[in-house]
Amino acid sequence: MNTAFEKSVPGRTGCLPKRPVETADKILPESLLRSEPPRLPELSELDVVRHFTELSGRNFGVDSNFYPLGSCTMKYNPKFTEDVAAMEGFAKLHPILGQLPGTREWVQGALRVMHETEGLLCEITGMAAYTLHPMAGAHGELCGALLIAAYHKKQGNRKTKVICPDSAHGTNPASAALAGYKVVNVESQDGVITPDALAEVLDDEVAALMMTCPNTLGLFEPHLEEIVRLLREKDALLYYDGANLNAILGKLRVGDVGFDVVHLNLHKTFGTPHGGGGPGAGPVGVSERLVDLLPISRVVKEDDGYHLRYDYPDSIGYIAPLYGNFGVVLKAYAYMLRLGREGLERVAEHAVLNANYLRKRLEGVLEIPYDRICMHEFVASAATQAKNGVHALDIAKALLDKGHHAPTVYFPLIVKECMMVEPTETESLETMDAFADDLIEILARAENDPDSVTSAPVSMSVQRLDETKAARDMVLTEDLAEKE
């Protein structure tokens, strides 16, 4: 597909806005003015509309395709939340308002949204307080790791290690290491963490255990009570990676179980699909003993309204500019109010039901290493197909030709030729059946006509890419000088 510059025709124009009475060259100093007009594509209105319509049609998103991306939860994106975020009273607020003298009254609505969002998240997870500042999940992990470090420093503990299970999200070890901890691995036993396995690596220098529950195998961790007891004996904390919270909404409050620090992915669990780098929001919740350590500023409610407070001497300080990603927080707030307690419970119920439906439909054609009731996602293995030269990556590429986004492949690392499937709660029976039928047909071809699978995709604008080079050597600009 040609770029807009390549389609440019000298002299062609669309609708031109009326030229302003006062132009920039009358306002700016001469040193800041261009010596010649900028080179812009010259196109008609129809050229522009068709160009961007074609571009949008090449996008693979939740609005156009089934997106069973395990662990990443590309879920439903209700359009009403976009309308809420675009409301003039919110969209036109300047981020610095509320901090300037005399402006607090102007932002009472926004402060109320943040304060009540924190309250809703506390109610959903059972935590004592939240910060909304972290800008994404991994940023929330780092914030949580810094809170853990601050807690132990305040207690006078010498802690040097953080334990991460082999079923953890890949960012967990990175976040712990960034906070200065040595990362210690604990191996899963039949897909979950057992007290015996934890006891082998737990000592007085362990600061925390970072857990995802349900884990990246889609399995609920059944030994939480014993795990919490073991950690308490060492004054170690339990961290909850909330990436998979959608599986337990309204069913389990992780604070009630004993988790001390929680990060949530508002952009995954509460109505804003992520991908392409954002936008995200990763609020962090804490139990009562860590509340004073939360980042500043914090929103408090007093008799005369809502205030931003900074006077918390034990705080870890600033973790992000201003108040985090307010637009994503606002959409999550609207989503939670609209669904209510009953609706959020149904999210979890349907997510688990859909995942188990697909697991059962595919168990006869794909190896399911942990073939038991799963939560919101399940993990399959293409190890059998790999013996014939067709790997998980090939199957994933073939699904693109069928109009489905590929599932997550090769994660978690503890399953060979791994394929992680997460249908999410809003997919219909017809959509999941179509995906299962297509996957079954691809697996039949993998046995009878493997070349047709290993050569996929054939219907995309590009075929097999060097994925490492594509990610690390992107060319996203055009050298206009060469076009002169």
Side-chain angles (χ1 to χ4, degrees):
M1 179 178 171
N2 291 333
T3 67
F5 286 95
E6 290 168 330
K7 294 176 179 177
S8 177
V9 177
R12 181 170 294 175
T13 62
C15 297
L16 294 176
K18 186 177 179 181
R19 190 174 175 80
V21 176
E22 188 172 30
T23 55
D25 59 330
K26 302 293 190 300
I27 303 171
L28 298 173
E30 188 172 350
S31 62
L32 297 180
L33 297 179
R34 292 176 176 274
S35 59
E36 57 187 40
R39 184 185 172 200
L40 297 173
E42 298 175 79
L43 300 166
S44 70
E45 177 182 310
L46 197 54
D47 292 336
V48 173
V49 170
R50 286 176 176 170
H51 177 72
F52 285 102
T53 301
E54 184 180 356
L55 272 180
S56 69
R58 290 173 178 240
N59 191 32
F60 223 102
V62 291
D63 286 344
S64 53
N65 301 87
F66 180 43
Y67 222 108
L69 196 66
S71 191
C72 287
T73 322
M74 295 293 286
K75 64 193 293 297
Y76 178 49
N77 181 204
K79 299 301 176 282
F80 88 94
T81 60
E82 302 294 335
D83 292 338
V84 172
M87 291 172 69
E88 192 172 279
F90 293 122
K92 290 190 174 181
L93 278 178
H94 193 286
I96 204 70
L97 285 176
Q99 297 186 31
L100 299 176
T103 62
R104 183 180 66 83
E105 291 74 14
W106 301 358
V107 293
Q108 284 297 293
L111 294 177
R112 178 180 173 183
V113 166
M114 291 190 284
H115 189 266
E116 294 190 358
T117 299
E118 290 181 28
L120 290 171
L121 297 180
C122 286
E123 174 60 26
I124 290 170
T125 60
M127 306 308 287
Y130 264 85
T131 174
L132 303 178
H133 291 201
M135 310 293 274
H139 193 201
E141 289 178 31
L142 176 60
C143 177
L146 294 174
L147 287 166
I148 290 168
Y151 167 80
H152 287 302
K153 182 179 180 180
K154 187 177 179 181
Q155 297 298 109
N157 296 336
R158 183 183 183 278
K159 302 284 189 178
T160 61
K161 307 173 187 174
V162 166
I163 299 174
C164 294
D166 56 6
S167 60
H169 282 107
T171 46
N172 288 178
S175 299
L178 275 175
Y181 288 109
K182 177 184 178 184
V183 177
V184 178
N185 179 60
V186 58
E187 293 186 3
S188 305
Q189 308 293 325
D190 194 24
V192 299
I193 305 304
T194 65
D196 288 344
L198 176 61
E200 288 185 7
V201 296
L202 183 62
D203 60 31
D204 289 335
E205 292 196 12
V206 169
L209 166 64
M210 299 182 79
M211 289 186 74
T212 307
C213 184
N215 62 29
T216 53
L217 295 168
L219 303 176
F220 188 81
E221 297 283 354
H223 304 295
L224 288 174
E225 183 175 355
E226 183 66 5
I227 287 171
V228 170
R229 186 188 67 78
L230 290 171
L231 292 171
R232 293 285 184 265
E233 290 177 356
K234 304 293 184 183
D235 198 14
L237 301 179
L238 185 57
Y239 181 97
Y240 182 79
D241 182 322
N244 296 339
L245 183 76
N246 61 318
I248 58 172
L249 280 174
K251 304 296 181 182
L252 172 74
R253 302 200 323 161
V254 293
D256 296 343
V257 179
F259 283 90
D260 302 286
V261 184
V262 173
H263 95 259
L264 306 180
N265 294 325
L266 296 189
H267 50 286
K268 292 168 67 174
T269 307
F270 297 104
T272 305
H274 76 317
V284 171
V286 294
S287 58
E288 193 64 49
R289 53 183 173 164
L290 282 84
V291 170
D292 290 342
L293 306 172
L294 284 172
I296 50 175
S297 61
R298 292 173 57 187
V299 181
V300 298
K301 183 181 180 183
E302 298 178 353
D303 292 340
D304 61 344
Y306 298 90
H307 296 258
L308 289 168
R309 293 292 187 214
Y310 300 83
D311 50 341
Y312 297 94
D314 291 333
S315 166
I316 63 171
Y318 295 91
I319 193 73
L322 302 168
Y323 327 106
N325 195 335
F326 178 72
V328 176
V329 171
L330 180 57
K331 283 187 276 189
Y333 175 71
Y335 180 82
M336 289 186 283
L337 290 184
R338 178 65 184 87
L339 267 65
R341 182 186 299 273
E342 181 184 354
L344 292 174
E345 287 186 18
R346 287 175 63 194
V347 165
E349 291 166 356
H350 287 211
V352 173
L353 178 63
N354 285 0
N356 280 284
Y357 178 77
L358 273 183
R359 179 181 61 84
K360 293 299 290 183
R361 275 223 56 190
L362 296 171
E363 65 181 358
V365 293
L366 274 174
E367 180 184 346
I368 311 290
Y370 305 97
D371 196 8
R372 55 183 186 260
I373 296 293
C374 64
M375 300 299 285
H376 61 302
E377 64 190 5
F378 68 97
V379 169
S381 169
T384 301
Q385 287 75 19
K387 294 176 183 175
N388 295 326
V390 177
H391 295 270
L393 180 66
D394 302 315
I395 297 169
K397 297 296 184 186
L399 282 167
L400 300 180
D401 281 333
K402 295 287 189 180
H404 310 293
H405 193 279
T408 299
V409 293
Y410 302 122
F411 180 79
L413 303 177
I414 52 179
V415 174
K416 289 184 178 179
E417 295 292 334
C418 182
M419 300 175 63
M420 185 194 294
V421 180
E422 180 174 1
T424 77
E425 77 281 1
T426 46
E427 295 298 343
S428 67
L429 183 64
E430 293 78 14
T431 297
M432 290 191 293
D433 277 338
F435 174 77
D437 291 343
D438 288 336
L439 183 52
I440 291 169
E441 190 272 334
I442 291 169
L443 294 172
R445 278 196 284 127
E447 186 171 344
N448 302 319
D449 183 15
D451 289 346
S452 70
V453 181
T454 56
S455 60
V458 296
S459 63
M460 300 286 103
S461 54
V462 293
Q463 276 71 55
R464 292 292 179 107
L465 298 173
D466 180 333
E467 297 188 358
T468 302
K469 184 175 176 60
R472 297 181 177 176
D473 190 21
M474 291 185 287
V475 180
L476 301 177
T477 58
E478 187 170 6
D479 189 348
L480 298 178
E482 292 184 353
K483 305 291 184 182
E484 295 291 342

